């Protein structure tokens, strides 16, 4: 019986508080014209890059509210970078803390929310005449580095 | 001056409340052994599929809190499907409402949070000996259909 | 496969928006001296009744964030009553709305949070010398009436 | 004047960060047939036990957002157990942390939200023909143990 | 007894859903050099205006979570304007909806959060050598217009 | 490119956890009759002072969710004082913590939310016959003291 519906948060009580860092990346494929408009500051909803960064920072801090088994972590740094390439926007999020568990889920959540926010900001430019998104695509969200240092 | 720092929510006040539906999909690449353990109910953190679905439903409802320029929408249905393939888990989220604007961001947010939750649940199985994730990857999140019906 | 990890929000899209009302009750057993101090306004943490009511109203509105499969509902009225008896405080919460689904979970959540808040406010008065709560108890939370009216 | 509307959060600034643990229990009375359906995995809304556990873990972490005078606490472990008896489901929540104040409110909030979630999952099975809940009842939520250890 | 600890949400169940609009304004006094740096895009924390607008829009939507007796309202438009004068930044927030109650608290909350965010963004430029803020001041937050139209 | 849309959270990872305290004040101008009714407990929405204090404490704890670039801070004390003068209510909020960064934004957020809550509680008494607020005004929110002590 006890195994049906098993949901178990990892017990990190005994772990040491050490320096932790994680970097995640991801991209959103956009139309060439959309990228141009982001670059030129011509997107009707406004400044895509700063809104995406703001949303990512807020989401990183709330990761434990969004991902059920994540522990609340006192984030000490979030850096978000948005790079505009020819046909995609690439997001990199770096998160730091001193805590009992790692922050890769925080970095991944930040990347995901930045990409979703970019999509939301340029919806009107990406939709086709039937209101569909044949080309828009969030792709390849990964952790590129996780660091854990004994103090 | 007024154009510096432009951030503009779309004014939907004059739009009609009509039936809206959106379906989004996405996938997470996982190790073959991880998929086996999810299937067999052997993941230490518990029932991956039901926790991911629960997280997705909660996130869909809070999309307007996470994506800055989304409007609050009275969601009337969220269906989440998780399919376990050989080397990836595929998530489909369908959202319905009767509202003044579409729900594709809600569906995309649901997919993203389900995939992040799956990653979090199987972290211990995906990490290599150095604590890195060389293979794990969230990939190809897209809107597959958006519906808008006049009543 | 599809039935493993089943989590399904009820689809209320097709339901009619009608008047809904629900009333729930519950009680917390407290020491006689604690009740006296609440009555006399002598609780160190302050006005137990008004803080409990405020917490309950806030919780009713956020029920859909707390209970995973609840739908977001535009609450139009919350009334909270706290009655101080000899050895217990009794909470009644009435919730009203015009919506596609009922509000009994909202009323029950309001009662639960009011009772938890009362406990929190009088913790210092209820604890024994070992820091335990041998007598304090939340008891009998029920829905006493649910109303649904065609307009 | 200063005593009217008194609301005072306890100042824990000077307290020591020590190991804290609390366990709370509670139960919900359900129809015998409902318990059978939970056991058999036949509840239309899905896996009652895992959704209730997930909701409880999320609520434990957000206790300080729900109970006004609780302090934010960096929870390091939450364990939720759901036991299905003949005519009731019993929930036990254990919470651990290293903090300046205890976690009994967190454990109690976890139990309350698990019980509310169970109710929500089986609403359709518990309602009578008039849409009322004559038998369903949340009962006896208590703290069974509180631990505080000097390191 | 019933009047002690009185907290009463207004019952708007019977009110008509009509068009509502509210505009609020407020200002923050800043050092002349700080204003210059905002204008020149030289603030180390980044784009003050777009972050303040994003924060205001998010806060407007969550007003009912922040102000206890506010009703949840389906906001359909939020427009935030930030004007940089010689020694102050002036914020105007306009909110629209179709609802059973007005949105002046939403507009006021938007203004307040935009001003707080501006302060936070330029903290380092406003502090004196002792870490104090002798000159910084949020001032004169008012509702300048409230509109209610029968449809 | 990298400077467009700049948004940068301060990296406090390397800072020391020390005792921090901040006190902020602010006021709301109200009609003389409104102040009398608050004093006499005659405001229809209930106990203005205790609801405002409760809202302020909740907001202080959630500052990092409301102000995008604030760090999550484990608040250990919040004291809110509301003083009723002839034509205004004055709010003072004191916040304490042991953390890597100061709590002045937390104190300012607490003051702002207390003042907004007071406004919301007395809306019906402050509105003129056209539903406008010609006199009501939030004014002069400032930090009066910030303390940082090496342990």
């Amino acid at each position: 019986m006890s195994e049906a519906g098993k949901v178990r948060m990892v017990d990190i009580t005994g772990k040491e508080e050490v320096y932790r860092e994680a970097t995640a990346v991801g991209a959103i494929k956009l139309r060439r014209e959309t990228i141009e408009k982001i670059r030129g500051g011509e997107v009707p909803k406004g400044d895509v890059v700063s809104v995406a960064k703001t949303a990512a920072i807020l989401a990183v801090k709330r990761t434990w509210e969004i991902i059920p088994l994540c522990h609340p972590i006192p984030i000490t740094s979030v850096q978000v970078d948005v790079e505009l390439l020819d046909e995609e926007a690439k997001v990199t999020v770096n998160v730091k803390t001193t805590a009992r568990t790692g922050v890769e889920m925080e970095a991944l959540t930040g990347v995901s929310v930045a990409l979703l926010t970019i999509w939301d900001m340029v919806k009107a430019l990406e939709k086709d005449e039937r209101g569909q998104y044949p080309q828009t695509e969030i792709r390849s969200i990964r952790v590129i580095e996780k660091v854990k240092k004994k103090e």
Side-chain angles (χ1 to χ4, degrees), chain A residues 29-132:
Chain A
K29 186 182 177 313
L30 297 173
R31 299 173 66 220
R32 206 172 269 267
E33 297 79 359
T34 301
I35 296 281
E36 286 310 318
K37 290 208 165 142
I38 297 175
R39 275 210 186 93
E42 297 166 79
V43 173
K45 290 176 88 163
D47 187 342
V48 174
V49 174
S50 70
V51 178
K53 287 180 177 177
T54 304
I57 292 168
L58 283 163
V60 164
K61 295 187 284 181
R62 297 173 75 186
T63 299
W64 56 272
E65 274 187 27
I66 297 171
I67 313 296
L69 303 194
C70 280
H71 298 83
I73 286 181
I75 300 302
T76 53
S77 171
V78 185
Q79 303 300 330
V80 187
D81 193 62
V82 177
E83 199 182 346
L84 299 173
L85 306 178
D86 280 0
E87 292 189 319
E88 65 175 28
K90 197 178 149 189
V91 172
T92 308
V93 174
N94 173 271
V95 180
K96 296 177 188 167
T97 192
T98 300
R100 290 184 166 83
T101 188
V103 284
E104 64 266 45
M105 291 316 305
E106 281 71 12
L108 288 164
T109 300
V111 169
S112 299
V113 168
L115 296 171
L116 289 167
T117 300
I118 292 172
W119 192 322
D120 179 56
M121 297 290 289
V122 301
K123 273 192 323 192
L125 307 170
E126 288 288 308
K127 266 189 265 191
D128 67 14
E129 67 285 355
R130 298 178 309 109
Q132 306 297 318

Side-chain angles (χ1 to χ4, degrees), chain A residues 21-25 104-105 107-108 140-146:
Chain A
E21 187 179 338
T23 306
V25 294
E104 64 266 45
M105 291 316 305
L108 288 164
S140 195
I141 302 176
R142 287 169 301 121
V143 175
I144 56 172
E145 195 184 22
K146 223 189 113 179

